[in-house]
């Protein structure tokens, strides 16, 4: 079984842990790689040996990061023909209309605000994983057969 | 037969036949009748006229036997007509038959004329007394004369205004209307001296007879006269004071020429009329003189009094009465002493007044002039002159003139002059007077202070050399010359600023106002008011500098504010990211802790972890609210027209869904359309409904109403609840951020809900306010000035 690749671009170790925990809870089969800022992300995608690595099925991209921020990463991704089709979901604490607008303008596939409440957070991550990693098709990857876990209806948010 | 002795009687005696024919007359009668002998007289009838009249008279005598005083005219053979008076008796036979008549006769011609003359004089005297004018006097005279002498025409001729000819005066008499032709012809004529009947009288000054009109060469009206049967004329002059005033002419028709004695009678009449006219003229002259005298008296502004030498008031004018406010009764008595007593009551110095009156009584020929002051403050000038007729002094004229106003004006002028000087001396401004050439005529102490020139040094020098800087002198002199030539001067009557120089040569800013003064059309003089404005200029500079500094400071502060705003935005941004991240970690890890390690945690620890999560959620809410609030101020409005009632309904439904168990009745007026930003209005309504929902939660049931009413031409929205309300004294704090009127323990909340509402409404240009009482609910009102309509 092929496992889709998820690239998490996130400078906060807490959020990184929470995303990974939430994915695990949701049983989304994904191979997660993490870039801890924009530089690392770009290095991973375009740096030495990048061509040898398969492109991720989804990039969860934080916006506010040191050195190179999410917008710059997105811009670069969309500028390169090779990475132009990779789904990029901006996953940010911001819900500033300006940020949302700019993300889409740069070619983001989706914009999801990170909820503070962990239950909501977990739901968001589960839905994202189920959609982008199991339902969504990306070029260069075989069509994923939906798994039972992948199509599981998410539990209703508590509270 | 009558005896010879009868001839000696002074009266005539006669005897007549029964038919009236004369049979006998004494010598006296024959002489009277102008008959030479008895023989010549025998058979003559005594009485003129026709037989009929004579028979009728004899009939009367026969009837009455005796008629006394019968008068008749007799024309003597020498042409004289005489008047006779007789007594006639009828003589009868024993058989009582008329056998003849006898009579006694005397001549009364002279007596008749005397009577005639007297009657005319008397008539004229009466008539002329009543005559108003010369013209009437002429008419009366003509009528009376004509009547007495049984004349046909009588008319008057008067000298023309240039004195060159005689004109027909309007006065005339005609015995018979048929004669008016002669009158008409006369009216159309004038006569020079010597021409015609009137002209002849004019040139000779003598009464003139015209006995033979038919053959008179110097009578132009002869043809008309002939036509009318006029046979003779008479004309006489009327003189008044040796001057001819008229010629009266009379005409006789058909009869024998009139007795010459008529001329004498008329001459008397002419004298009488002349005297009348002379008197009339004298009267007129006197009346004229009197009216002139009176007009003169009354037309003067002075009060006049004329007193004779005995101290009796002769005359006075109305002004005199007014000036002394004298009762009319006092003057009517005419006693000068009484008026003097009256006047003494009024004058300030009665003794002095009386003294002067006495002095002048002693010296009737003296003239005096003095001034009298009255107790009431008036001042009279008194002039006294002797009144003279010829060289004889007959009285004294007193003349009073009220000079109160003049005196006061002079006093006021003096006062005003004095005040003017004082003002000049104490004026703060420099005041400089100049004549039309610009030479200094006035230089007050302030001018000495300002310019450093002493008054005595500058008088007569030109202002321009004293205070105008060298470089401006040409302009100044040009301006003065132009004003004198054209009367135009842009600087006159206005305050202008210019540089001036002091005696020590230093220059300083000066404010100057120049006023021209024109008196009686002469060349103008000028008064200049000048002020040293160095200090003011300095202050103006300071103020300008301060302003500039202030502006710089404002710019700086604005820049700072701009920076702060940017910082605030940066803060908001970081709050949205950075503050949420740790909260998320807190919440996430505690949740995971509970979820994955619940079995290992004692219940108390689980409770504590829940408290941590609760705190996290509250903080999240707070941050979200803050962000919203800051975004309200930053976001651009995107207004559109929409149904606010609909949004209210959605918001209310959300609340009900969240707590379906609560008993809250929500009523919303439908169709409240507004023109506003729907997203912001939704946030506002969420906050308002949220508050209402929250603050009614302690009541078992509640009502919430949303609606709008017109008030003073604007639509006022309200959201009303019946919850816990608030203390009205704290109403002003209601809309401040983080201001909470209830403890967080009682009611949860961020404390910025109403602050957000306020910001949203105010961004739309509206107002928001609240009313409430403790436990009586809250009503929040707001307005949205954008076009609003209900459907």
């Amino acid at each position: 079984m092929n496992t889709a690749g998820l690239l998490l671009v996130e400078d906060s170790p807490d959020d990184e842990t929470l995303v990974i925990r939430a994915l695990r809870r949701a049983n989304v089969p994904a191979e997660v790689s993490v870039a801890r800022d924009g530089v690392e992300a770009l290095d991973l995608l375009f740096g030495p040996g990048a061509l040898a690595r398969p492109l991720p099925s989804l990039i969860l991209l934080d916006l506010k990061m040191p050195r190179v921020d999410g917008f710059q990463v997105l811009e670069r991704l969309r500028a390169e023909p090779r990475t132009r089709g990779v789904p990029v979901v901006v996953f940010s604490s911001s819900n500033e209309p300006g940020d949302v607008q700019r993300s889409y303008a740069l070619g983001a596939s989706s914009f999801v605000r990170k909820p503070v409440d962990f239950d909501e957070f977990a739901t968001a991550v589960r839905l994202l994983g189920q959609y982008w990693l199991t339902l969504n098709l990306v070029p260069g990857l075989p069509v994923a057969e939906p798994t039972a876990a992948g199509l599981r209806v998410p539990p209703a948010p508590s509270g | 037969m009558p005896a010879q002795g009868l001839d000696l009687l002074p009266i005539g005696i006669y005897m007549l036949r029964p038919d009236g024919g004369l049979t006998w007359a004494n010598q006296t009668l024959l002489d009277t009748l102008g008959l030479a002998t008895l023989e010549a007289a025998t058979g003559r009838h005594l009485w003129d006229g026709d037989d009929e009249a004579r028979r009728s008279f004899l009939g009367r005598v026969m009837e009455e036997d005796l008629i006394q005083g019968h008068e008749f005219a007799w024309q003597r053979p020498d042409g004289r007509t005489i008047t006779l008076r007789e007594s006639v008796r009828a003589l009868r036979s024993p058989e009582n038959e008329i056998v003849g008549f006898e009579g006694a006769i005397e001549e009364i011609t002279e007596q008749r004329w005397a009577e005639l003359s007297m009657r005319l004089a008397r008539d004229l005297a009466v008539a002329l007394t009543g005559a108003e004018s010369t013209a009437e006097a002429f008419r009366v005279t003509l009528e009376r004369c004509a009547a007495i002498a049984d004349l046909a025409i009588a008319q008057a001729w008067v000298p023309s205004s240039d004195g060159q000819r005689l004109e027909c005066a309007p006065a005339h008499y005609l015995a018979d209307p048929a004669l008016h032709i002669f009158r008409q012809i006369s009216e159309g004529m004038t006569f020079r001296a010597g021409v015609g009947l009137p002209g002849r009288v004019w040139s000779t000054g003598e009464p003139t007879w015209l006995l033979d009109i038919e053959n008179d060469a110097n009578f132009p009206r002869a043809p008309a006269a002939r036509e009318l049967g006029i046979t003779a004329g008479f004309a006489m002059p009327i003189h008044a004071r040796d001057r001819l005033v008229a010629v009266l002419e009379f005409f006789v028709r058909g009869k024998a020429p009139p007795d010459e004695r008529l001329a004498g009678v008329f001459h008397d009449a002419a004298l009488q009329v002349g005297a009348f006219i002379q008197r009339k003229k004298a009267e007129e002259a006197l009346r004229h003189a009197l009216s002139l005298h009176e007009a003169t008296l009354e037309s003067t502004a002075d009060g006049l009094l004329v007193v004779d030498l005995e101290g009796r008031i002769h005359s006075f004018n109305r002004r005199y009465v007014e000036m002394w406010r004298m009762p009319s009764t006092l003057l009517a008595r005419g006693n000068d002493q009484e008026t003097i007593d009256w006047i003494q009551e009024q004058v300030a110095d009665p003794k002095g007044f009386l003294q002067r009156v006495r002095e002048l009584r002693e010296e009737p020929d003296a003239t005096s002039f003095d001034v009298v002051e009255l107790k009431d403050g008036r001042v009279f000038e008194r002039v006294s002159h002797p009144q003279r007729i010829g060289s004889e002094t007959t009285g004294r004229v007193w003349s009073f003139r009220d000079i109160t106003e003049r005196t006061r004006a002079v006093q006021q002028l003096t006062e005003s002059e004095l005040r003017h000087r004082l003002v000049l001396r104490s004026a703060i401004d420099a005041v400089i007077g100049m004549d039309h050439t610009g030479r200094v005529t006035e230089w007050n102490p302030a001018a000495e202070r300002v310019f450093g020139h002493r008054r005595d040094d500058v008088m007569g020098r030109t202002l321009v050399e004293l205070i105008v800087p060298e470089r401006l002198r040409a302009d100044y002199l040009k301006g003065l010359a132009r004003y004198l030539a054209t009367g135009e001067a842009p600087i006159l009557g206005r305050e202008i600023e210019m540089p001036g120089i002091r005696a020590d040569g230093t220059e300083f800013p000066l404010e100057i106002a120049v006023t021209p003064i024109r008196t009686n059309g002469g060349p103008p003089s000028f008064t200049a008011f000048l002020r040293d404005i160095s200090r003011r200029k300095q202050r103006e500079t300071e103020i300008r500098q301060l302003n500039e500094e202030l502006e710089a400071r404002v710019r700086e502060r604005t820049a700072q504010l701009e920076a702060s705003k940017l910082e605030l935005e940066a803060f908001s941004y970081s709050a949205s990211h950075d503050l949420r991240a740790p909260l998320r970690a807190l919440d996430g890890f505690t949740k995971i802790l509970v979820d994955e390690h619940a079995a290992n945690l004692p219940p108390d620890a689980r409770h504590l972890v829940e408290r941590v999560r609760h705190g996290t959620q509250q903080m999240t809410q707070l941050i979200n609210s803050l962000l919203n609030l800051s975004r309200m101020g930053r976001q651009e409005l995107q207004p559109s027209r929409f149904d606010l009632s609909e949004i209210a309904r959605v918001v209310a439904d959300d609340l009900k869904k969240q707590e379906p168990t609560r008993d809250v009745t929500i009523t919303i007026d439908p169709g409240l359309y507004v023109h506003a930003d729907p997203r912001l209005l939704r946030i506002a309504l969420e906050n308002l409904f949220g508050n209402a929902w929250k603050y009614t939660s302690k009541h078992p049931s509640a009502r919430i109403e949303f609606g709008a009413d017109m008030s003073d031409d604007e639509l006022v929205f309200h959201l009303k609840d019946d919850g816990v309300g608030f203390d009205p004294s704290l109403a002003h704090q209601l809309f401040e951020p983080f201001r909470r009127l209830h403890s967080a323990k009682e009611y949860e909340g961020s404390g910025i809900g109403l602050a957000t509402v306020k910001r949203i409404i105010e961004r739309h240009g509206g107002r928001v306010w609240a009313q409430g009482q403790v436990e009586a609910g809250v009503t929040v009102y707001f307005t949205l000035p954008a076009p609003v309509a209900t459907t």
Side-chain angles (χ1 to χ4, degrees):
Chain A
M1 176 184 159
N2 289 316
T3 45
L6 174 101
L7 174 58
L8 177 63
V9 186
E10 175 63 70
D11 67 324
S12 160
D14 287 347
D15 282 353
E16 182 193 323
T17 307
L18 289 174
V19 169
I20 291 168
R21 284 259 177 173
L23 282 171
R24 200 168 66 203
R25 279 195 171 200
N27 287 324
V28 175
E31 199 173 291
V32 178
S33 43
V34 178
R36 299 217 156 68
D37 60 29
V39 177
E40 273 188 29
L42 293 177
D43 203 37
L44 211 56
L45 290 164
F46 304 108
L51 288 175
R53 286 187 288 275
L55 284 169
S57 300
L58 173 68
I59 298 175
L60 271 183
L61 180 64
D62 192 14
L63 285 178
K64 204 168 168 252
M65 291 178 298
R67 299 205 282 177
V68 171
D69 67 12
F71 293 120
Q72 288 169 296
V73 173
L74 183 57
E75 202 169 9
R76 181 71 195 279
L77 280 168
R78 291 299 179 247
E80 293 287 336
R82 190 169 66 91
T83 55
R84 192 171 290 155
V86 178
V88 177
V89 170
V90 176
F91 197 51
S92 163
S93 294
S94 169
N95 68 341
E96 286 293 315
D99 287 349
V100 177
Q101 218 173 351
R102 193 172 164 203
S103 299
Y104 282 111
L106 290 173
S109 311
S110 183
F111 190 109
V112 176
R113 193 193 191 193
K114 290 175 189 161
V116 170
D117 184 287
F118 183 68
D119 293 332
E120 291 172 25
F121 186 90
T123 305
V125 170
R126 177 171 57 85
L127 290 173
L128 283 172
Q130 283 174 345
Y131 176 75
W132 290 106
L133 295 176
T134 58
L135 286 177
N136 194 42
L137 289 182
V138 289
L141 274 179
V143 179
E145 288 298 322
T147 64
L151 286 179
R152 225 173 1 128
V153 176
S158 63
Chain B
M1 276 287 113
Q4 283 285 311
L6 292 176
D7 288 337
L8 300 174
L9 284 173
I11 58 165
I13 297 167
Y14 64 83
M15 294 190 74
L16 306 177
R17 298 192 302 256
D19 67 345
L22 191 68
T23 54
W24 179 83
N26 69 352
Q27 192 57 45
T28 313
L29 182 62
L30 293 175
D31 291 344
T32 302
L33 297 177
L35 299 172
T37 60
L38 188 59
E39 284 70 37
T42 301
R44 287 282 298 267
H45 293 288
L46 281 177
W47 308 301
D48 281 336
D50 50 41
D51 292 342
E52 185 71 30
R54 189 163 52 244
R55 265 199 298 276
S56 149
F57 178 69
L58 288 177
R60 263 180 62 207
V61 177
M62 284 187 279
E63 223 167 84
E64 296 174 23
D65 278 342
L66 176 66
I67 286 183
Q68 286 183 309
H70 173 240
E71 291 181 13
F72 63 98
W74 173 264
Q75 184 150 26
R76 283 163 50 108
D78 60 9
R80 268 196 329 119
T81 301
I82 57 172
T83 307
L84 301 170
R85 184 162 58 198
E86 64 179 350
S87 295
V88 189
R89 188 167 54 189
L91 298 174
R92 296 177 186 272
S93 66
E95 292 78 34
N96 206 26
E97 275 186 13
I98 297 290
V99 292
F101 301 93
E102 65 173 0
I105 208 162
E106 65 177 331
E107 186 188 346
I108 55 163
T109 308
E110 293 303 325
Q111 198 182 330
R112 292 310 302 145
W113 282 111
E115 275 175 19
L116 195 72
S117 181
M118 239 157 69
R119 199 162 76 237
L120 182 62
R122 197 183 59 231
D123 278 7
L124 276 181
V126 172
L128 290 178
T129 307
E132 292 287 336
S133 63
T134 312
E136 196 181 341
F138 287 154
R139 186 180 57 76
V140 165
T141 309
L142 293 172
E143 271 174 19
R144 293 289 184 280
C145 289
I148 274 179
D150 191 20
L151 302 174
I153 297 170
Q155 45 190 21
W157 296 83
V158 293
S160 62
S161 52
D162 61 2
Q164 295 298 306
R165 50 191 66 222
L166 289 171
E167 294 171 343
C168 197
H172 65 280
Y173 168 84
L174 299 176
D176 165 355
L179 296 165
H180 83 273
I181 294 167
F182 189 82
R183 170 68 191 167
Q184 268 180 349
I185 291 168
S186 299
E187 279 175 350
M189 299 182 82
T190 59
F191 293 102
R192 291 182 174 281
V195 178
L197 182 58
R200 267 182 274 173
V201 174
W202 190 15
S203 50
T204 59
E206 295 293 329
T208 302
W209 280 104
L210 190 65
L211 293 173
D212 189 7
I213 279 177
E214 193 94 23
N215 299 309
D216 198 303
N218 192 5
F219 188 72
R221 290 171 287 174
R226 221 175 10 252
E227 193 82 8
L228 294 166
I230 290 167
T231 50
F234 168 73
M236 61 180 183
I238 293 178
H239 290 102
R241 220 184 258 276
D242 297 332
R243 282 190 51 209
L244 179 107
V245 292
V247 172
L248 303 187
E249 65 173 3
F250 306 92
F251 293 98
V252 185
R253 217 167 20 164
K255 289 189 188 150
D259 196 296
E260 283 179 11
R261 269 172 294 208
L262 192 60
V265 174
F266 281 9
H267 182 67
D268 289 346
L271 287 179
Q272 215 173 337
V273 177
F276 167 80
I277 289 169
Q278 195 169 319
R279 196 171 64 241
K280 208 74 190 161
K281 286 197 167 166
E283 270 174 22
E284 267 168 30
L286 185 65
R287 221 174 23 243
H288 181 70
L290 279 174
S291 79
L292 190 68
H293 167 72
E294 193 175 322
T296 309
L297 267 187
E298 293 302 340
S299 65
T300 171
D302 296 344
L304 295 173
L305 175 72
V306 184
V307 184
D308 68 15
L309 289 178
E310 279 75 44
R312 281 189 299 268
I313 291 171
H314 183 267
S315 63
F316 55 88
N317 67 356
R318 216 170 304 150
R319 180 77 186 122
Y320 173 81
V321 179
E322 287 165 6
M323 282 174 75
W324 289 107
R325 288 156 191 175
M326 223 170 250
S328 54
T329 50
L330 185 65
L331 283 158
R333 282 199 290 277
N335 185 331
D336 187 36
Q337 188 54 49
E338 283 185 49
T339 67
I340 288 172
D341 292 346
W342 174 267
I343 286 169
Q344 264 189 291
E345 288 292 311
Q346 297 192 53
V347 297
D349 176 17
K351 276 185 188 158
F353 183 91
L354 202 59
Q355 181 61 33
R356 178 57 57 93
V357 173
R358 282 199 188 117
E359 280 168 21
L360 291 172
R361 271 192 190 156
E362 299 297 314
E363 293 181 66
D365 291 323
T367 293
S368 82
F369 169 83
D370 63 348
V371 171
V372 181
E373 284 181 30
L374 274 69
K375 283 177 184 164
D376 64 9
R378 288 184 295 160
V379 183
F380 293 171
E381 253 176 24
R382 173 170 62 170
V383 180
S384 178
H385 257 291
Q387 182 197 9
R388 293 196 182 94
I389 295 175
S391 61
E392 189 193 352
T393 301
T394 59
R396 177 163 288 284
V397 179
W398 295 92
S399 151
F400 296 90
R401 177 171 299 180
D402 190 337
I403 55 164
T404 314
E405 284 306 317
R406 203 173 73 201
T407 311
R408 198 170 295 158
V410 168
Q411 267 172 9
Q412 280 171 352
L413 200 65
T414 314
E415 272 172 39
S416 141
E417 176 77 20
L418 204 65
R419 202 160 43 227
H420 174 67
R421 295 239 164 105
L422 278 173
V423 167
L424 274 187
R425 198 162 305 151
S426 55
I428 296 167
D429 287 345
V431 180
I432 299 175
M434 287 165 283
D435 64 15
H436 68 284
T437 63
R439 285 183 193 284
V440 173
T441 56
E442 185 63 62
W443 190 271
N444 75 341
E448 292 186 330
R449 219 161 44 234
V450 168
F451 294 101
H453 290 288
R454 279 182 40 246
R455 187 177 195 275
D456 297 340
D457 299 337
V458 299
M459 298 303 276
R461 290 172 68 188
T462 62
L463 189 68
V464 61
E465 63 172 304
L466 288 166
I467 71 158
V468 180
E470 196 93 44
R471 62 180 193 282
L472 297 175
R473 284 182 192 170
D475 288 345
Y476 175 93
L477 291 173
K478 224 185 289 170
L480 179 64
R482 185 173 60 170
Y483 173 68
L484 290 173
T486 66
E488 281 172 26
I491 73 153
L492 287 181
R494 291 196 302 143
E495 284 185 359
I496 56 162
E497 286 179 16
M498 59 172 273
I501 42 169
R502 297 196 184 91
D504 61 10
T506 51
E507 206 170 286
F508 66 105
L510 196 61
E511 190 175 72
I512 178 170
V514 185
T515 310
I517 300 167
R518 284 185 176 277
T519 44
N520 300 331
S525 60
F526 301 94
T527 302
F529 298 85
L530 307 101
R531 190 176 294 172
D532 180 348
I533 55 169
S534 311
R535 251 194 292 175
R536 198 176 80 194
K537 280 284 171 197
Q538 195 181 330
R539 276 200 299 273
E540 280 173 9
T541 311
E542 282 169 14
I543 286 169
R544 205 163 43 239
Q545 278 170 358
L546 280 174
N547 273 335
E548 279 165 12
E549 274 173 36
L550 196 64
E551 272 170 32
R553 232 175 281 173
V554 166
R555 274 196 299 275
E556 198 177 306
R557 190 59 57 85
T558 309
Q560 282 173 1
L561 277 173
E562 292 289 335
S564 303
K565 206 176 145 199
L566 285 174
E567 273 169 32
L568 186 70
E569 275 175 21
F571 165 77
S572 305
Y573 192 81
S574 76
S576 79
H577 292 256
D578 302 349
L579 290 182
R580 284 167 60 93
L583 284 172
R584 195 159 51 238
L586 266 176
D587 191 68
F589 294 134
T590 45
K591 175 75 170 137
I592 292 166
L593 185 65
V594 170
D595 286 355
E596 297 183 8
H597 304 284
N600 304 328
L601 287 178
D604 185 42
R606 275 207 296 273
H607 173 69
L608 291 176
V609 171
E610 279 305 317
R611 294 279 292 271
V612 171
R613 287 200 74 202
H614 185 71
T616 313
Q617 277 159 13
Q618 261 193 302
M619 180 116 185
T620 308
Q621 235 174 35
L622 199 57
I623 289 168
N624 282 340
S625 301
L626 260 181
L627 282 176
N628 275 334
L629 182 61
S630 94
R631 212 171 284 152
M632 293 307 111
R634 289 184 285 129
Q635 263 182 13
E636 209 169 300
L637 285 184
Q638 292 181 322
S640 63
R641 194 174 134 81
F642 62 93
D643 185 354
L644 190 60
S645 304
E646 186 56 40
I647 289 186
R649 199 146 42 237
V650 170
V651 170
D653 287 351
D654 277 354
L655 288 169
K656 279 185 189 164
K657 262 185 234 161
Q658 281 174 28
E659 287 184 77
T661 54
R662 277 194 56 191
D663 177 14
V664 181
T665 309
I666 299 181
T667 59
I668 294 166
D669 285 356
L672 298 172
Y673 278 81
V674 296
H675 188 83
D677 187 324
R679 289 173 307 136
L680 295 184
L681 262 291
R682 177 169 183 148
I683 292 167
L685 287 190
E686 277 172 356
N687 277 294
L688 291 174
F689 274 96
N691 280 347
W693 188 266
K694 182 161 64 185
Y695 293 111
T696 52
S697 61
K698 298 275 161 74
H699 293 183
S701 70
R703 282 188 66 84
I704 298 174
E705 291 171 26
F706 176 68
D709 293 297
M710 287 303 289
S711 166
D712 292 335
D713 288 342
E714 65 178 348
L715 197 60
V716 178
F717 296 90
H718 63 262
L719 190 104
K720 183 176 176 173
D721 68 54
D722 55 357
V724 289
F726 60 88
D727 178 350
S729 69
L730 302 174
H732 62 282
Q733 300 182 351
L734 210 56
F735 294 94
E736 291 176 23
F738 302 114
R739 193 61 86 157
R740 305 205 58 202
L741 304 188
H742 301 278
S743 72
K745 205 170 165 189
E746 277 182 296
Y747 298 100
E748 286 187 354
S750 60
I752 56 177
L754 282 177
T756 306
V757 170
K758 184 171 190 245
R759 192 164 295 179
I760 289 170
I761 298 302
E762 285 179 351
R763 283 212 65 195
H764 283 84
R767 291 171 294 124
V768 60
W769 67 100
Q771 284 179 350
Q773 290 288 338
V774 173
E775 283 302 327
V778 174
T779 307
V780 176
Y781 299 93
F782 64 91
T783 62
L784 288 170
V788 168
T790 54
T791 55

